[in-house]
């Protein structure tokens, strides 16, 4: 086993080995195991899609945390957000916005628009994949039932 491992490491690149390890980790994380039932399939594949894109979602959630921090520190110290506290936050109502702050706000707006676009694209793709998979599995299930009935009729 040690010679096989050393031979593998000698004949492959670090990038390939890293990709293989990442693929193995994803396979373990995304393996449905005993959870694969007919009713749970759509939820299972949504879960797998979310897990597969966890790095992107983590980055997006970090951006949202930064926005929340800006709103909380500028509006209240209670830690809860009310609608009026958000809409009247000094960062939003201040008329003395410096050029640097305006640039940062524009960059933030662009990031949020990008986040919204990526989220909408991901939802559309997942919905399409789940619908396609459901149609495929339903058709295959019907074919299996028909084949099973045909076999029983012959017996």
């Amino acid at each position: 086993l040690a010679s096989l491992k050393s031979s593998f490491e000698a004949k492959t690149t670090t990038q390939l080995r890293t990709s293989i390890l990442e693929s193995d980790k994803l396979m373990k994380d995304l393996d449905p195991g005993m959870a694969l039932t007919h009713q749970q399939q759509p939820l299972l594949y949504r879960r797998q899609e979310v897990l597969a894109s966890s790095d992107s979602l983590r980055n997006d959630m970090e951006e949202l945390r930064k926005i929340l921090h800006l709103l909380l520190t500028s509006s209240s110290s209670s830690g809860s957000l009310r609608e009026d506290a958000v809409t009247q936050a000094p960062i939003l109502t201040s008329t003395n916005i410096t050029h640097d702050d305006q640039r940062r706000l524009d960059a933030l707006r662009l990031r949020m628009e990008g986040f919204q676009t990526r989220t909408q694209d991901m939802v559309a793709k997942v919905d399409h994949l789940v619908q396609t998979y459901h149609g495929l599995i339903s058709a295959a299930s019907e074919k299996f039932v028909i084949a099973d009935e045909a076999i029983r009729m012959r017996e």
Side-chain angles (χ1 to χ4, degrees):
L1 186 62
S3 65
L4 181 62
K5 182 178 178 183
S6 64
S7 174
F8 175 75
E9 289 178 357
K11 295 181 180 182
T12 58
T13 64
T14 305
Q15 184 179 7
L16 176 62
R17 289 190 300 271
T18 304
S19 294
I20 290 172
L21 289 174
E22 184 177 339
S23 297
D24 286 342
K25 181 184 176 294
L26 275 174
M27 282 179 50
K28 288 176 185 172
D29 288 346
L30 301 178
D31 181 25
M34 299 302 292
L36 188 60
T37 65
H38 180 68
Q39 289 83 12
Q40 294 173 332
Q41 286 175 352
L43 293 175
L44 174 70
Y45 293 109
R46 280 198 186 268
R47 177 181 174 266
Q48 289 178 333
E49 180 69 24
V50 168
L51 286 173
S53 62
S54 65
D55 290 336
S56 173
L57 288 174
R58 187 177 299 116
N59 292 339
D60 294 338
M61 289 301 168
E62 179 62 25
E63 293 298 321
L64 287 175
R65 187 197 62 75
K66 290 177 185 176
I67 293 169
L68 180 63
H69 175 70
L70 285 173
L71 290 172
L72 285 176
T73 57
S74 63
S75 62
S76 70
S77 61
S78 65
S80 64
L81 285 178
R82 297 182 327 270
E83 182 179 355
D84 63 327
V86 172
T87 58
Q88 299 303 315
I91 192 168
L92 299 177
T93 59
S94 174
T95 57
N96 296 331
I97 298 176
T98 66
H99 179 68
D100 187 49
D101 288 342
Q102 183 63 45
R103 182 186 53 77
R104 290 175 53 212
L105 285 172
D106 289 339
L108 178 62
R109 180 184 51 81
L110 290 174
R111 280 184 179 170
M112 292 305 297
E113 288 173 357
F115 174 69
Q116 180 182 9
T117 302
R118 288 192 316 267
T119 302
Q120 289 172 343
D121 290 346
M122 185 177 76
V123 167
K125 286 177 185 177
V126 169
D127 284 343
H128 176 71
L129 286 171
V130 169
Q131 288 173 357
T132 302
Y133 182 79
H134 179 68
L136 178 73
I137 294 301
S138 296
S141 178
E142 289 174 15
K143 297 294 181 184
F144 285 133
V145 168
I146 292 170
D148 187 49
E149 290 174 358
I151 291 171
R152 288 185 185 177
M153 296 275 290
R154 289 185 187 166
E155 294 175 349

